[in-house]
Amino acid sequence: MKYLLACCILFLFSINARTQTRPKIGLVLSGGGAKGLAHIGILKAIDSAGLQVNYITGTSMGSIIGALYACGYSADSIEKIVSTTDWDLLFTNSASLRSLILEEKDEYDKYAIELPWLNRRFLLPGGVLESEELWLKFSEFFFPVHNIKNFSKLPRPFNCIATDVATGEAVVLDSGEIVSAVRASMAIPSVFTPVDYNGRKFIDGGVVRNFPVSDVKAMGANFIIGSNVAGGLLAKEKINNVFQVLMQVAFFRNDADFQAQKKLCNIYIHHDLADYNMASFSSSDEIINEGIKKGDSVYATLKHLNDSLNAIYGTSAIKKNLLPNIDSVKITAYAIKGLVRTSEQFFLNRILFQNNQWYTASSLSADIRRAFGTRYYQKIVYSLETLPDGTCKIIFDVEENPLTFAKLGINYNSFMGISLVGNLTARNFFTPYSRSMVTINVGENMRIKAEHLQFIGKYKTVSVAASTQAEYINFNSYNNFVKDGLYQQGYFLGDLHAQWALKSKYSMGIGTRFEAFYYKPEITSKFELRGSNSLVNSYVFIKLNTLSNNIYPKNGTKVDLEAGYVYDQDPKLKYLQDGQPITNLDSLGFNFSNFIRTRLNIERYVSLTKKYTLFTQEQAGINFNQRVNILNDYFIGGLNYTFLNQITFAGLNEATEHSSSVATFALGLRYEMYSNLFLIGRVNALYYNFIGSDNSPGNPYFLSGASITLGYKFILGPLEISAMYCNQAKQVIPYINLGIPF
């Protein structure tokens, strides 16, 4: 290699001897999805060798890494950026749960299928990613060079390759918005949406030219270093199915181009990453380490090249801080494109935009996420245009969501059985700035819920919601941890509440609900009740939600606190002992007088490492001044919250125990064994009956239990298979859950 390199240096010297100009070094980074992260190792070797790169080209992931390097980020900085990026979030259409307004968080990412209503029909999902978070993250990365529209003026001249959808030709993107250029270069067909750029529509450049060596040569490079992570065509013995045959045919043209491009490299670096694929972002650290190893193996060659050039042409001064020092801009003008169903004032109020103010990249992203979190918008991107006085005009490019969606999901639970869950959500259906929805659970247990949520006020931070719910479910009764009966419970709810949302994290409010219950034994037990009861509950509440996502959150806190006054109970009940009516009701000690009801649930998640997440849960339910009354008790058991007044507890089935005063603490650890495959351990302890009917100390009981769960996150939601054990019940209980309960 050194002999060949020496020949190359002599050749370059002969070319440049007359002018004594230092040869220009070109760097080419191929596409390859997650495997493209290995390019970072080559950049680290280049930086360590002190080699000055004059021109950069890249395709797809190579365009992302190459653009960052061209803007002036060091290899170490790029490694840090990549290692701390949530790739799972960037490569989905999901938003960070933290960006959503609090009223939307419980419903978000809950259904397997969402069908938008457009042109008088529901459309099937397109299966492609727009990824708002990807756009925003790119805008943050490239904020320091927002004022550079000619990529040859970047600290390291750069261009990237995309494919014109209309003609199928490879197009060099070398001017305009670098965020859009990079996004276009990586728009993998059928995965990401095409990008409109300078009047044309583009997809991933890797379709036609995945290794753009000739393009860096055209920029003026005399000596070219090429880093390739693509595997090329499969060997014949590895082609075993129709899909692989189709992929092989699709890459015929690309491979022919690659062979021609490879010959133009002076130093060609191939990464052997057969154990990874384009989607292996969960193995980003391992891929980067493989790239670093490859970089170490070529470091001596790169160092020898730099030393040789310095010996011939003299040492060139290398600036260590190439990235422009621009962390904020003053915005004095704005334009908004794409608004149809929402007004400009609503949009500006949601992002809290103020003209003639200074903004950072992170503050702009936070403001845009605030508007995106209303679910009125599918995409919000921005560009900055420098004005003559040095301030900026911001241009928002907005794509609105359809106002109506039909949503479908499947849920199976050991308690609820199998269910098909359907939801119809419409915005602005009855009134402007409102959300109306109907959800129905069809299966072994029937449920239906309707809600209308109306936003009011200038900034739409105050809302009023009216809802109603009806259900008919079966649940077992227990005696000393043993099943002894089966009940049918009918339930009706009417609720009206108002809340004030403070930012997107927490809210407080007040409301009143009417509840009615109906009980009928299906399998008789020793003690039975049948009939109905109704009550009114006026309450106040506080909610906090900073979870990173609804399913398997890695960090954040969720708090639900409610305190209410229960009154106007109307019991119409019959009690039986061994099948005989109990005529002396005073002997039961039941009383349906007014009382205070409180409920608290706190969940905390802390990411210990990339694979391990620690979580805790505290629950409490206390009825003050309530005489013994089974109907208003809290019911203990189950791993998932599925019905009113439930306190979950690992170790017991739903409603195994009940009490008017309960407090429990759970500690768990979640380990991601492979991408989306989790092993979850949980232990918990519970006290109940610790407060008597006159608020004096009661006769407390203690329970302890644990569970082990194998969970898999896929399109239908989480699939969890668990085994639970309670030390007091002394039995192992299986528990299965698929999807998110109603």
Side-chain angles (χ1 to χ4, degrees):
M1 174 67 79
K2 287 187 177 181
Y3 174 76
L4 179 60
L5 185 61
C7 292
C8 291
I9 297 296
L10 289 173
F11 177 70
L12 288 172
F13 177 76
S14 67
I15 294 176
N16 296 278
R18 294 180 182 178
T19 60
Q20 287 297 308
T21 57
R22 188 182 183 94
K24 301 297 184 180
I25 305 298
L27 175 64
V28 183
L29 305 178
S30 76
K35 295 192 291 183
L37 301 178
H39 292 313
I40 295 171
I42 305 305
L43 299 184
K44 289 172 73 74
I46 289 173
D47 282 355
S48 297
L51 190 62
Q52 180 177 334
V53 172
N54 304 105
Y55 303 107
I56 304 171
T57 60
T59 297
S60 199
M61 181 57 75
S63 74
I64 301 174
I65 303 300
L68 291 172
Y69 197 58
C71 290
Y73 289 97
S74 68
D76 288 340
S77 297
I78 297 172
E79 181 184 13
K80 183 177 180 180
I81 287 171
V82 167
S83 298
T84 56
T85 294
D86 186 349
W87 295 99
D88 289 339
L89 178 60
L90 295 191
F91 291 152
T92 69
N93 275 329
S94 298
S96 169
L97 193 66
R98 291 170 178 161
S99 70
L100 301 182
I101 59 176
L102 201 67
E103 296 88 345
E104 294 288 344
K105 292 189 177 186
D106 287 342
E107 287 293 312
Y108 191 65
D109 236 4
K110 190 174 181 179
Y111 300 93
I113 300 174
E114 296 192 6
L115 307 175
W117 176 264
L118 284 172
N119 301 322
R120 299 183 179 180
R121 61 193 178 98
F122 287 109
L123 300 180
L124 292 174
V128 292
L129 305 178
E130 184 64 67
S131 187
E132 173 71 11
E133 284 297 321
L134 184 63
W135 282 102
L136 291 179
K137 189 58 69 176
F138 281 179
S139 296
E140 292 177 22
F141 290 163
F142 300 116
F143 187 82
V145 296
H146 71 271
N147 57 332
I148 301 177
K149 308 303 181 183
N150 184 341
F151 303 163
S152 67
K153 303 299 183 182
L154 291 170
R156 297 182 177 99
F158 167 80
N159 65 47
C160 58
I161 311 302
T163 302
D164 189 313
V165 173
T167 65
E169 65 176 324
V171 178
V172 176
L173 307 182
D174 56 8
S175 63
E177 296 297 329
I178 192 168
V179 171
S180 298
V182 171
R183 173 64 174 78
S185 180
M186 58 155 291
I188 303 170
S190 78
V191 177
F192 288 99
T193 54
V195 174
D196 293 319
Y197 183 81
N198 291 347
R200 301 166 75 176
K201 191 178 289 291
F202 292 105
I203 57 174
D204 195 311
V207 173
V208 179
R209 182 167 298 158
N210 198 49
F211 195 46
V213 184
S214 60
D215 299 289
V216 82
K217 191 175 184 67
M219 294 176 74
N222 308 117
F223 191 94
I224 300 172
I225 302 169
S227 176
N228 177 40
V229 299
L233 294 176
L234 295 173
K236 61 180 181 180
E237 58 271 12
K238 293 186 177 182
I239 303 174
N240 300 314
N241 56 52
V242 173
F243 176 75
Q244 290 171 333
V245 170
L246 293 175
M247 290 297 292
Q248 189 84 335
V249 172
F251 282 108
F252 277 160
R253 179 184 174 188
N254 197 303
D255 188 69
D257 182 75
F258 164 71
Q259 296 300 333
Q261 299 290 322
K262 177 181 175 182
K263 294 176 182 178
L264 300 176
C265 291
N266 299 103
I267 297 178
Y268 172 72
I269 303 167
H270 177 73
H271 299 261
D272 186 7
L273 299 168
D275 293 336
Y276 307 97
N277 58 51
M278 295 179 64
S280 298
F281 286 97
S282 61
S283 302
S284 59
D285 290 343
E286 292 87 342
I287 293 173
I288 292 172
N289 287 334
E290 289 295 323
I292 292 174
K293 291 178 183 177
K294 179 61 70 172
D296 291 342
S297 71
V298 300
Y299 168 77
T301 301
L302 299 174
K303 185 69 167 65
H304 183 68
L305 171 61
N306 188 56
D307 292 344
S308 300
L309 291 173
N310 288 342
I312 298 172
Y313 299 99
T315 303
S316 61
I318 300 178
K319 296 180 181 179
K320 292 186 177 180
N321 299 315
L322 293 175
L323 187 69
N325 186 24
I326 300 176
D327 60 1
S328 62
V329 296
K330 186 177 183 180
I331 297 177
T332 57
Y334 69 89
I336 308 172
K337 301 177 181 178
L339 293 181
V340 177
R341 306 179 189 96
T342 57
S343 69
E344 179 178 296
Q345 196 59 48
F346 174 77
F347 178 82
L348 293 175
N349 286 342
R350 291 310 302 181
I351 65 174
L352 301 179
F353 179 78
Q354 292 183 334
N355 212 7
N356 295 305
Q357 295 292 325
W358 287 87
Y359 287 89
T360 65
S362 58
S363 67
L364 281 172
S365 292
D367 291 345
I368 288 173
R369 288 187 181 100
R370 189 178 296 111
F372 187 77
T374 64
R375 304 300 308 278
Y376 276 97
Y377 305 104
Q378 180 176 338
K379 182 179 76 172
I380 306 172
V381 298
Y382 70 89
S383 59
L384 295 169
E385 178 183 309
T386 303
L387 300 177
D389 62 357
T391 63
C392 286
K393 177 181 180 179
I394 188 168
I395 302 169
F396 296 102
D397 192 354
V398 179
E399 186 175 331
E400 294 172 316
N401 265 325
L403 292 178
T404 302
F405 280 86
K407 308 174 186 181
L408 295 172
I410 293 176
N411 177 238
Y412 173 81
N413 185 277
S414 294
F415 172 71
M416 291 293 294
I418 186 70
S419 300
L420 177 65
V421 184
N423 172 277
L424 184 65
T425 298
R427 301 179 192 278
N428 301 352
F429 185 76
F430 294 109
T431 55
Y433 308 115
S434 66
R435 184 195 69 188
S436 305
M437 65 179 185
V438 177
T439 308
I440 185 168
N441 184 103
V442 180
E444 298 177 38
N445 295 279
M446 300 293 293
R447 284 177 163 172
I448 186 170
K449 179 179 180 180
E451 179 187 74
H452 179 77
L453 176 70
Q454 180 67 55
F455 294 98
I456 57 178
K458 178 179 179 181
Y459 297 105
K460 304 298 184 288
T461 55
V462 177
S463 61
V464 177
S467 63
T468 184
Q469 179 175 330
E471 64 183 29
Y472 202 64
I473 63 174
N474 297 319
F475 64 93
N476 294 299
S477 60
Y478 291 82
N479 183 16
N480 196 27
F481 308 115
V482 178
K483 294 179 184 179
D484 72 342
L486 178 67
Y487 277 82
Q488 284 186 344
Q489 174 185 281
Y491 174 67
F492 174 81
L493 165 73
D495 180 274
L496 178 66
H497 70 265
Q499 68 178 4
W500 177 36
L502 307 174
K503 297 185 177 180
S504 61
K505 298 179 181 179
Y506 47 92
S507 67
M508 59 182 65
I510 186 170
T512 295
R513 65 171 66 100
F514 171 79
E515 299 175 76
F517 309 84
Y518 174 78
Y519 297 92
K520 177 184 177 183
E522 285 292 301
I523 299 178
T524 58
S525 56
K526 186 173 182 180
F527 175 80
E528 302 172 23
L529 61 86
R530 65 178 66 208
S532 64
N533 184 33
S534 62
L535 58 86
V536 179
N537 181 8
S538 295
Y539 59 92
V540 295
F541 63 89
I542 296 175
K543 294 183 178 182
L544 168 71
N545 191 331
T546 64
L547 298 183
S548 56
N549 46 287
N550 272 331
I551 302 174
Y552 299 137
K554 292 185 177 181
N555 46 63
T557 301
K558 183 177 182 181
V559 177
D560 288 289
L561 171 63
E562 181 180 301
Y565 186 66
V566 177
Y567 55 97
D568 283 352
Q569 295 196 73
D570 184 22
K572 297 176 181 178
L573 298 163
K574 296 180 180 179
Y575 302 92
L576 298 95
Q577 183 76 31
D578 295 323
Q580 299 299 317
I582 299 175
T583 56
N584 182 14
L585 298 183
D586 292 338
S587 65
L588 298 175
F590 288 176
N591 188 295
F592 290 88
S593 59
N594 302 341
F595 65 94
I596 296 173
R597 170 181 287 166
T598 61
R599 173 73 186 264
L600 173 66
N601 178 64
I602 303 175
E603 301 173 34
R604 299 184 181 91
Y605 298 84
V606 178
S607 180
L608 302 178
T609 67
K610 199 168 184 178
K611 296 288 188 181
Y612 288 93
T613 300
L614 180 73
F615 62 91
T616 62
Q617 183 179 23
E618 299 98 51
Q619 300 174 85
I622 302 175
N623 294 338
F624 295 96
N625 296 321
Q626 178 198 328
R627 298 290 297 274
V628 178
N629 177 358
I630 297 174
L631 300 186
N632 293 320
D633 278 353
Y634 296 96
F635 295 90
I636 300 166
L639 290 177
N640 297 87
Y641 189 79
T642 53
F643 62 91
L644 182 73
N645 292 339
Q646 180 186 0
I647 300 291
T648 60
F649 182 77
L652 297 177
N653 284 317
E654 287 82 353
T656 299
E657 292 288 345
H658 59 87
S659 173
S660 62
S661 56
V662 184
T664 178
F665 174 79
L667 175 67
L669 184 66
R670 185 174 69 234
Y671 169 58
E672 187 171 7
M673 298 184 291
Y674 303 99
S675 178
N676 294 320
L677 182 63
F678 302 88
L679 186 65
I680 307 165
R682 180 188 288 105
V683 295
N684 50 197
L686 181 145
Y687 274 98
Y688 64 107
N689 282 345
F690 51 82
I691 295 181
S693 59
D694 57 355
N695 298 333
S696 62
N699 182 24
Y701 295 90
F702 174 77
L703 294 174
S704 59
S707 67
I708 186 77
T709 300
L710 183 66
Y712 180 66
K713 180 182 176 182
F714 71 125
I715 189 171
L716 294 178
L719 170 61
E720 297 180 326
I721 302 173
S722 305
M724 305 187 298
Y725 181 79
C726 175
N727 293 311
Q728 288 69 36
K730 299 188 183 304
Q731 55 182 324
V732 176
I733 302 173
Y735 195 91
I736 299 175
N737 183 80
L738 169 63
I740 300 176
F742 177 93

